């Protein structure tokens, strides 16, 4: 198939008019060059997400439908075939794909790479486009949507900040920044206020849309407050299959009340924006446009849950008028949020009658036969109904069977109290009953509800609600993240006295001795550096109790064999403990050291070589960048504002082997399976250069790119070779004849002792065969 010219992929950031745009593109493209992708629905959101996500089985579409792996594969294969058929059959040179969930794929760099590889088979060029909504209006719109259709009943609002960097930085990285066009979502600036006309105008696409096609479903602030009160304090009735249409009818009904525009107060939103300042700065610099929103401050603007639930007499009277005399509960005055919720309950029952629900549903009741007993369970029920300890949305999303129960309007809090805690289900994101029970034996023995104890007493006592390990990452204090799992089982080094065994310890001593002996006979100086694990340097931030902290590899090796290896092996821990008082030695959200950690190690190596650092090294530029580092990406944590030092000025890379060239040509530098065997050479002709040749064997703490240890050496020595390998290649060393050989290994890899049987040329040749 001859490739088409262009695929335009519209990534629909939520609340940027994507539905209206998709419906228009589905029906109103009038350009012979352009086709909308041949899929049966206007939104390609779920199809594209399922097709390329790294974890499609966790996608809401498949969870809700309880799809098996075979079901998911069949779904993806069917839609991929439809896409390809359209690419082949359309006589156009341009295709458009659009979906909100494509925006959410930005969390998953591997998913974006799969999508890119797929589209590259059929298109010469790929253009990513999307509208970016400013944060204040985004949060206001998102809040309204969640109250209307997702029963939101809490005010934990930083959760709804848009987190631009996490979503969008990977698009730049994968598709190239020049191929990612982001536009400010500003309907006032659109032709006739229409997003389709703006979209097509920017891309020079003809459309037969003549007027604004909008999907504006905002309702008044008063209506939002009524629904919020209903979700927070109202009853849970089971209306069966009528529950969803009834919920929509309730929204439509209360939407007739009030005229106030829903807005958050400036003080409230400013506090959130300050928290995510680095992310917002990145987005504004990326687009070269301000996302600040100017609006007049009104007394009615919302800054808290209390503000929202402060009902006026006019609102209550309008609600009573909707009910009418016949359905108005006479005993309810409707002045407090709890009483307003009862009036909304009555309205919902009235609407149920209008929908043909003849038999009024019974409210779910507490079961006195359960172990907690009616009195206790009623107490806990009322407590959590009026507090934030139980997160219904979290509970529903975390457990697919609860989504079905919620669809039937079942009482999820009641389920948690009667069954969930005993089944070790989590009631919110910050509490794990199993962990709490096992960690605090006094609470477990007391027989009290665990969540109640945590909310009422545990927090103030300094107890944690859950393990601070998520997806193999320790979420520590002061925003520090640490690797806890992985193939190296990092925590075992600190919790098991003999995980790094005495035998392996002796093997390292013997390896270092044999290396030094062999290289000394060749007239080569040898130094080995151990790069400490971040936990070894910053244990105080981990919030962990270690059973055998001193048993970690570097400490154990030097404690046992310091006299044998001290002359040619460096333990940087003591100097790191001093240096961390002045500088951040490791990125907070990554396993790797920062410039300052690398610099400290570099100075230790230079000291062993009796080499002084040129003064020009200190004259380098420093920039602040926002970046999602490796550990942050594993748990979807925010980007970290990072101090980047650009110190490499005089050295030049004069060689890169074919593996490095392949990675750079295909944007695969971060592909972990292609690290070993990467090799580069730097040369430097500065007047103050040290006229010696160095070969470095190391890992990601050295690197072949101009950022870490290799680059630092390249600024000081005449010739520096880097080979990504923890084993030495004596054939390479014999051929190059260096003055110095340096080896480096990250502490977490020390349970695997190198065998020094590595031959770079052979390894790369075999590796390249697999990449062709």
């Amino acid at each position: 198939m001859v490739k088409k010219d262009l695929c335009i992929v519209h990534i629909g950031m939520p609340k940027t008019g994507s539905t209206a745009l998709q419906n228009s593109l589905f029906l109103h493209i009038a350009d012979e060059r352009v086709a909308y992708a041949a899929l049966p629905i206007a939104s390609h959101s779920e199809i594209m997400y399922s097709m390329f996500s790294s974890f499609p089985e966790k996608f809401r579409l498949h969870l809700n439908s309880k799809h098996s792996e075979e079901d998911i594969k069949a779904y993806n294969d069917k839609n991929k075939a439809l896409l390809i058929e359209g690419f082949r059959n359309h006589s156009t040179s341009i295709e458009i794909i659009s979906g909100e969930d494509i925006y959410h794929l930005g969390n998953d760099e591997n998913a974006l790479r799969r999508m890119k590889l797929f589209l590259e088979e059929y298109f010469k060029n790929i253009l990513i486009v999307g509208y970016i909504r400013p944060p204040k209006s985004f949060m206001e719109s998102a809040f309204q949507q969640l109250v209307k259709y997702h029963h939101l009943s809490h005010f934990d609002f930083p959760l709804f900040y848009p987190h631009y960097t996490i979503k969008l930085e990977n698009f730049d990285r994968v598709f190239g920044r020049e191929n990612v066009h982001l536009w400010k979502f500003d309907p006032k600036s659109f032709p006739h206020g229409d997003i389709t006309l703006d979209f097509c105008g920017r891309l020079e696409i003809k459309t037969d849309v003549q007027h604004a096609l909008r999907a504006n479903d905002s309702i008044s602030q008063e209506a939002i407050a009524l629904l919020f009160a209903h979700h927070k304090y109202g009853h849970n009735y089971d209306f069966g299959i009528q529950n969803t249409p009834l919920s929509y009818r309730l929204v439509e009904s209360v939407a007739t009340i009030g005229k106030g525009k829903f807005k958050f107060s400036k003080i409230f939103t400013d506090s959130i924006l300050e928290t995510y300042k680095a992310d917002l700065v990145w987005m504004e610099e990326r687009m070269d446009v301000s996302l600040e929103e100017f609006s007049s401050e009104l007394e009615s603007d919302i800054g808290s849950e209390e503000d929202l639930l402060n009902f006026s007499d006019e609102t209550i009277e309008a609600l009573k008028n909707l009910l009418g005399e016949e359905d108005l509960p006479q005993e309810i005055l409707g002045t407090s949020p709890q009483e307003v919720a009862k009036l909304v309950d009555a309205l919902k029952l009235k609407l149920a009658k209008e929908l043909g629900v003849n038999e009024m549903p019974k409210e779910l009741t507490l079961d006195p036969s359960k172990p907690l007993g009616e009195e206790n369970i009623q107490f806990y029920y009322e407590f959590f109904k009026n507090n934030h300890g139980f997160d219904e949305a979290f509970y529903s999303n975390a457990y697919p069977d609860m989504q079905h129960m919620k669809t039937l309007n079942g009482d999820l809090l009641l389920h948690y109290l009667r069954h969930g805690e005993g089944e070790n289900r989590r009631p919110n994101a910050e509490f794990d009953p199993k962990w709490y029970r096992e960690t605090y034996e006094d609470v477990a023995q007391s027989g009290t509800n665990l969540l109640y104890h945590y909310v009422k007493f545990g927090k103030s006592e300094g107890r944690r609600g859950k393990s601070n390990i998520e997806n193999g990452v320790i979420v520590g204090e002061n925003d520090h993240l640490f690797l806890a799992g992985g193939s190296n089982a990092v925590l075992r080094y600190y919790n098991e006295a003999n995980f790094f065994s005495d035998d392996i310890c002796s093997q390292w001593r013997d390896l270092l001795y044999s290396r030094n002996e062999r290289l000394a006979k060749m007239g080569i100086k040898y130094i080995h550096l151990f790069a400490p694990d971040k936990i070894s340097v910053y244990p105080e931030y981990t919030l962990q109790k270690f059973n055998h902290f001193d048993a970690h590899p570097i400490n154990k090796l030097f404690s046992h064999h310091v006299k044998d290896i001290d002359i040619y092996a460096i333990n940087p821990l003591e100097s790191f403990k001093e240096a961390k008082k002045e500088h951040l030695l490791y990125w907070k959200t990554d396993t790797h050291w920062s410039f300052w950690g690398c610099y400290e190690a570099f100075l230790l190596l230079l000291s062993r070589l009796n080499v002084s650092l040129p003064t020009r090294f200190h004259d380098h530029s420093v920039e602040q960048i926002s970046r999602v580092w490796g550990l942050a990406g594993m748990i979807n944590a925010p980007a970290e504002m990072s101090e980047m030092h650009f110190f490499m000025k005089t050295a030049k890379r004069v060689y890169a082997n074919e593996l490095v060239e392949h990675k750079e040509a295909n944007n695969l530098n971060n592909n972990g399976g292609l690290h070993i065997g990467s090799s580069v050479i730097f040369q430097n002709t500065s007047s103050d250069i040290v006229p010696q040749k160095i070969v470095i064997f190391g890992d990601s703490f050295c690197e072949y790119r101009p950022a870490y240890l290799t680059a630092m050496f390249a600024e000081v020595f005449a010739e520096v070779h880097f080979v990504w390998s923890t084993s030495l290649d004596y054939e390479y060393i014999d051929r190059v004849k260096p003055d110095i050989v340096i080896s480096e290994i990250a502490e977490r890899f020390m349970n695997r002792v190198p065998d020094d049987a590595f031959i770079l040329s052979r390894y790369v040749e075999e590796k390249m065969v697999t990449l062709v």
Side-chain angles (χ1 to χ4, degrees):
M1 171 184 171
V2 177
K3 290 186 179 182
K4 294 190 173 188
D5 289 340
L6 177 65
C7 182
I8 300 171
V9 180
H10 168 242
I11 56 174
M13 179 183 180
K15 316 313 297 178
T16 57
S18 297
T19 300
L21 175 61
Q22 289 156 1
N23 290 336
S24 294
L25 294 175
F26 193 63
L27 300 171
H28 296 284
I29 292 179
D31 196 317
E32 295 180 353
R33 303 167 304 139
V34 183
Y36 199 55
L39 292 169
I41 52 178
S43 173
H44 309 146
S45 186
E46 293 181 341
I47 290 171
M48 295 296 288
Y49 191 95
S50 176
M51 195 180 301
F52 298 110
S53 171
S54 296
F55 305 100
E57 70 279 2
K58 296 182 180 179
F59 187 37
R60 62 177 185 276
L61 167 71
H62 301 306
L63 283 175
N64 292 343
S65 301
K66 297 184 179 180
H67 286 165
S68 64
E69 288 186 18
E70 293 75 15
D71 295 331
I72 296 171
K73 184 178 185 303
Y75 176 85
N76 290 339
D77 288 347
K78 178 188 73 173
N79 289 308
K80 185 176 288 187
L82 287 174
L83 269 178
I84 294 171
E85 183 181 3
F87 295 160
R88 288 172 173 166
N89 293 342
H90 287 159
S91 59
T92 57
S93 58
I94 301 172
E95 293 267 348
I96 299 178
I97 295 172
S98 175
E100 294 91 329
D101 283 315
I102 303 176
Y103 174 82
H104 295 308
L105 279 178
N107 287 350
D108 187 347
E109 183 176 348
N110 290 329
L112 296 185
R113 295 197 183 283
R114 283 191 289 273
M115 183 171 73
K116 181 185 179 186
L117 288 172
F118 169 72
L119 294 176
E120 282 178 337
E121 292 186 40
Y122 305 97
F123 299 94
K124 298 175 185 175
N125 300 290
I126 302 169
L127 181 64
I128 306 295
V129 299
Y131 289 90
I132 302 302
R133 187 159 187 164
K136 183 176 184 292
S137 62
F138 175 88
M139 291 188 287
E140 290 167 343
S141 185
F143 182 80
Q144 294 178 67
Q145 190 78 359
L146 289 163
V147 170
K148 286 189 296 182
Y149 302 120
H150 299 278
H151 301 90
L152 182 71
S153 61
H154 60 86
F155 222 71
D156 189 8
F157 217 75
L159 295 173
F160 306 109
Y161 174 81
H163 301 287
Y164 300 109
T165 312
I166 293 173
K167 298 290 187 183
L168 296 166
E169 198 171 40
N170 280 334
F171 282 100
D172 285 352
R173 186 177 295 116
V174 173
F175 292 92
R177 185 165 175 170
E178 69 280 5
N179 298 314
V180 181
H181 294 188
L182 304 176
W183 309 311
K184 182 178 179 180
F185 180 72
D186 183 14
K188 292 180 181 178
S189 70
F190 297 166
H192 304 292
D194 190 277
I195 189 172
T196 305
L197 296 177
D198 186 78
F199 181 89
C200 292
R202 290 178 184 274
L203 297 169
E204 300 181 351
I205 295 171
K206 296 177 183 177
T207 176
D208 59 12
V209 170
Q210 300 298 321
H211 55 84
L213 298 176
R214 298 175 182 167
N216 186 358
D217 58 353
S218 61
I219 61 177
S220 70
Q221 180 169 295
E222 293 89 342
I224 289 294
L226 290 171
L227 292 169
F228 189 91
H230 170 63
H231 301 326
K232 186 171 183 65
Y233 298 116
H235 294 295
N236 282 311
Y237 293 113
D238 184 358
F239 292 93
I241 62 172
Q242 294 286 2
N243 192 64
T244 298
L246 182 56
S247 293
Y248 278 89
R249 283 289 297 273
L250 181 63
V251 172
E252 292 171 1
S253 185
V254 298
T256 63
I257 297 176
K259 296 181 180 179
K261 185 175 181 180
F262 185 89
K263 286 178 56 185
F264 284 115
S265 69
K266 187 175 187 301
I267 293 176
F268 179 66
T269 52
D270 280 355
S271 65
I272 298 171
L273 297 183
E274 181 62 30
T275 301
Y276 299 104
K277 183 177 180 180
D279 179 74
L280 182 56
V281 168
W282 178 88
M283 189 72 260
E284 290 182 326
E285 290 179 349
R286 170 66 178 78
M287 296 175 65
D288 194 23
V289 66
S290 172
L291 293 178
E292 185 176 358
E293 297 164 279
F294 298 95
S295 60
S296 58
E297 288 293 300
L298 302 175
E299 188 177 342
S300 59
D301 291 350
I302 303 301
S304 67
E305 185 175 304
E306 290 71 25
D307 290 345
L308 182 63
L309 297 180
N310 183 19
F311 294 99
S312 68
D313 293 340
E314 291 80 4
T315 298
I316 295 173
E317 191 62 31
L319 178 58
K320 290 180 177 179
N321 288 336
L322 276 179
L323 276 162
E325 290 293 331
E326 183 179 344
D327 295 290
L328 180 64
Q330 296 303 316
E331 74 280 6
I332 298 174
L333 298 175
T335 55
S336 68
Q338 290 82 356
E339 289 193 315
V340 168
K342 291 178 181 178
L343 291 177
V344 180
D345 283 343
L347 176 60
K348 192 170 186 179
L349 291 173
K350 176 183 178 179
L351 295 172
K353 292 179 184 177
E354 295 175 1
L355 277 175
V357 179
N358 297 318
E359 192 172 319
M360 285 297 98
K362 293 181 180 180
E363 186 178 5
L364 293 177
T365 57
L366 300 167
D367 186 345
S369 66
K370 295 298 173 183
L372 283 174
E374 183 178 14
E375 185 176 340
N376 283 342
I377 204 169
Q378 180 69 47
F379 171 80
Y380 292 134
Y381 188 90
E382 292 300 323
F383 176 83
F384 291 122
K385 196 71 177 175
N386 295 289
N387 288 274
H388 297 314
F390 182 75
D391 186 336
E392 182 177 287
F394 175 90
Y395 199 65
S396 173
N397 291 331
Y399 307 106
D401 57 328
M402 291 299 97
Q403 293 176 1
H404 177 66
M405 183 177 178
K406 186 176 180 180
T407 301
L408 298 176
N409 214 26
D411 192 321
L412 301 190
L413 172 55
L414 189 58
H415 179 276
Y416 175 76
L417 291 172
R418 288 161 59 176
H419 308 291
E421 187 161 286
E423 296 170 357
N424 293 324
R425 299 187 189 231
R426 292 173 60 178
N428 57 50
E430 68 174 28
F431 186 76
D432 180 347
K434 182 177 185 293
W435 185 87
Y436 201 76
R437 185 185 299 111
E438 294 174 351
T439 304
Y440 304 114
E441 294 182 4
D442 59 326
V443 181
Q445 292 171 1
S446 72
T448 189
N449 176 274
L450 300 174
L451 178 61
Y452 173 77
H453 183 277
Y454 173 65
V455 173
K456 189 74 174 175
F457 310 108
K459 280 185 179 181
S460 61
E461 293 171 357
R463 304 191 196 226
R464 294 185 55 81
K466 64 171 184 177
S467 167
N468 63 327
I469 300 177
E470 300 176 15
N471 196 30
V473 175
I474 297 173
V475 182
E477 285 187 327
N478 197 23
D479 298 324
H480 279 279
L481 304 180
F482 301 83
L483 183 64
S487 59
N488 305 292
V490 177
L491 279 185
R492 295 183 66 185
Y493 285 127
Y494 304 91
N495 285 319
E496 298 178 26
N498 208 38
F499 182 61
F500 183 71
S501 68
D502 292 341
D503 179 59
I504 294 177
C505 211
S506 298
Q507 289 181 43
W508 268 106
R509 176 203 59 196
D510 296 344
L511 174 71
L512 297 174
Y513 175 82
S514 65
R515 284 178 173 179
N516 185 63
E517 285 289 293
R518 183 168 179 176
L519 291 171
K521 292 177 181 177
M522 300 168 68
I524 300 171
K525 183 173 181 60
Y526 173 62
I527 304 177
H528 179 84
L529 171 71
F530 293 102
D533 186 79
K534 186 177 177 182
I535 294 176
S536 299
V537 180
Y538 289 106
E540 66 272 23
Y541 290 126
T542 63
L543 297 174
Q544 293 283 314
K545 295 179 180 178
F546 301 107
N547 297 326
H548 297 281
F549 181 81
D550 290 341
H552 68 87
I554 292 178
N555 189 70
K556 190 170 186 178
L557 176 62
F558 280 87
S559 296
H560 285 36
H561 303 295
V562 63
K563 293 181 180 179
D564 299 326
I565 64 175
D566 188 52
I567 192 170
Y568 42 77
I570 293 178
N571 173 5
L573 280 174
E574 288 304 315
S575 64
F576 271 40
K577 288 176 183 177
E578 287 300 313
K580 75 177 185 180
K581 297 176 183 177
E582 300 293 328
H583 298 289
L584 181 69
L585 304 186
Y586 290 70
W587 302 120
K588 286 188 174 183
T589 56
D590 196 38
T591 58
H592 291 90
W593 50 31
S594 66
F595 166 83
W596 292 108
C598 186
Y599 181 66
E600 189 66 24
F602 180 52
L603 293 180
L604 289 172
L605 287 162
L606 289 185
S607 176
R608 286 291 182 95
L609 295 170
N610 295 316
V611 171
S612 299
L613 190 66
T615 56
R616 59 179 167 79
F617 190 91
H618 297 286
D619 182 23
H620 64 265
S621 59
V622 181
E623 291 183 14
Q624 297 289 331
I625 69 164
S626 179
R627 180 168 177 179
V628 179
W629 294 97
L631 294 180
M634 291 171 66
I635 60 169
N636 291 326
E640 178 181 350
M641 204 63 183
S642 308
E643 183 181 88
M644 303 302 292
H645 291 245
F646 300 93
F647 52 83
M648 190 170 176
K649 292 183 177 180
T650 58
K652 304 294 181 184
R653 195 178 82 178
V654 296
Y655 170 80
N657 69 357
E658 53 265 51
L659 183 55
V660 173
E661 290 179 341
H662 173 80
K663 290 196 291 184
E664 292 177 341
N666 294 281
N667 199 19
L668 297 172
N669 283 307
N670 294 317
N671 188 315
L674 300 179
H675 288 332
I676 297 174
S678 301
S679 179
V680 296
I681 301 174
F682 291 94
Q683 289 183 348
N684 199 325
T685 58
S686 297
S687 58
D688 58 352
I689 208 71
V690 177
Q692 289 182 307
K693 185 187 299 183
I694 294 180
V695 175
I696 300 173
F697 293 90
D699 51 33
S700 55
F701 284 78
C702 292
E703 263 280 17
Y704 60 87
R705 289 171 285 186
Y708 290 128
L709 206 55
T710 299
M712 290 184 178
F713 273 99
E715 280 297 292
V716 178
F717 288 82
E719 186 168 309
V720 176
H721 297 232
F722 170 73
V723 178
W724 199 312
S725 168
T726 55
S727 290
L728 302 193
D729 177 353
Y730 286 103
E731 181 182 284
Y732 186 91
I733 294 170
D734 190 53
R735 183 173 71 256
V736 171
K737 295 181 171 48
D739 301 288
I740 302 163
V741 167
I742 295 174
S743 57
E744 172 274 323
I745 190 170
E747 183 175 16
R748 67 175 182 269
F749 299 133
M750 286 180 64
N751 250 358
R752 289 171 280 178
V753 182
D755 59 11
D756 285 357
F758 182 73
I759 299 177
L760 176 64
S761 58
R762 182 186 301 166
Y763 178 87
V764 173
E765 181 180 354
E766 293 173 354
K767 189 69 175 179
M768 291 305 298
V769 170
T770 68
L771 300 177
V772 175

